[in-house]
């Protein structure tokens, strides 16, 4: 970026140009006023108004008022492009901070503002590309991916509960053989039930 193409240099150029144009407009206004005053009747309304303004206000205050009025108008008009570009940059920065992207960003100025726009557009492209990559990349299964579906785990738990109820009914309603260890079967079934419940919770 050229050191001459800065925002401060742009405003200095606008102020200098507005001051020169205001001086030219003031000189032309004075010449037109002097010519008109010299070619009208001394008793006309224009002549009386001119003498009244000069006598009560003075030539210098009138010239200063005309100069600053023209200067202010030209400065506001010529600096409107910079103001619009700054509004566009602020809007894009706010959208980038809130949503992570912005719709469109174009400026007519160069120098520092153009460089800032290039940086914002680079951030916007980087975030857009990262979002597209995340959406297009399928998830990679890892060690925490469940191996069983919830429906399968629930079916196994229901079958184990039914087995426990059957064994409890058989233990309380009938006499079992001495070599049949009912308590061991119940303990194994209860341990398997707790294991499958933990798998279902993790999934």
């Amino acid at each position: 970026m050229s050191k001459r193409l800065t925002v401060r240099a742009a405003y200095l150029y606008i102020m200098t140009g507005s001051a020169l144009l205001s001086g030219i407009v003031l000189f032309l206004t004075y010449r037109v006023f002097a010519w008109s005053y010299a070619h009208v009747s001394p008793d006309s309304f224009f002549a009386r108004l001119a003498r009244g303004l000069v006598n009560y206000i003075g030539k210098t205050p009138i010239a200063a008022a005309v100069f600053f009025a023209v200067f202010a108008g030209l400065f506001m008009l010529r600096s409107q492009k910079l103001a619009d570009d700054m509004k566009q940059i602020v809007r894009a920065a706010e959208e980038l901070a809130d949503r992570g992207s912005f719709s469109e960003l174009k400026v007519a100025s160069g120098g520092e503002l153009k460089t800032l726009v290039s940086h914002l557009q680079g951030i916007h492209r980087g975030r857009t590309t990262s979002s597209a990559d995340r959406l297009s990349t399928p998830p990679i299964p890892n060690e925490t991916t469940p191996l069983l579906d919830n429906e399968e785990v629930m079916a196994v738990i229901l079958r184990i509960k039914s087995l426990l109820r059957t064994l409890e009914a058989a233990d309380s309603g009938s006499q079992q053989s001495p070599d049949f260890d009912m308590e061991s079967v119940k303990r194994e079934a209860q341990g398997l039930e707790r294991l499958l419940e933990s798998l279902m919770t993790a999934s």
Side-chain angles (χ1 to χ4, degrees), residues 70-135:
V70 176
F71 174 82
L74 292 175
F75 181 83
M76 295 297 294
L77 181 63
R78 293 175 63 84
S79 62
Q80 186 63 40
K81 182 177 69 173
L82 286 176
D84 293 338
D85 292 343
M86 290 298 298
K87 290 179 181 179
Q88 290 291 327
I89 293 174
V90 171
R91 176 193 57 80
E94 290 178 351
E95 293 180 358
L96 188 63
D98 295 338
R99 304 199 309 260
S101 62
F102 52 83
S103 57
E104 185 180 4
L105 179 59
K106 292 182 179 179
V107 297
S109 303
E112 294 175 335
L113 297 183
K114 194 69 173 181
T115 303
L116 180 58
V117 168
S118 301
H119 293 329
L120 290 176
Q121 290 175 346
I123 296 174
H124 171 69
R125 286 193 298 268
R127 292 192 176 184
T128 304
T129 304
S130 300
S131 301
D133 292 340
R134 286 195 298 267
L135 293 175

Side-chain angles (χ1 to χ4, degrees), residues 31-77:
R31 297 301 299 177
V32 170
F33 180 83
W35 182 86
S36 301
Y37 185 81
H39 289 76
V40 297
S41 173
D43 296 331
S44 64
F45 174 78
F46 176 76
R48 293 196 304 269
L49 178 62
R51 287 195 298 269
L53 291 175
V54 172
N55 292 330
Y56 286 101
I57 299 177
K59 293 182 179 180
T60 302
I62 293 176
V66 172
F67 177 84
F68 283 111
V70 176
F71 174 82
L74 292 175
F75 181 83
M76 295 297 294
L77 181 63

Side-chain angles (χ1 to χ4, degrees), residues 3-16:
K3 295 182 178 180
R4 297 180 180 179
L5 299 177
T6 61
V7 176
R8 182 167 57 182
Y11 276 110
L12 180 61
Y13 165 75
I14 292 173
M15 291 182 63
T16 304

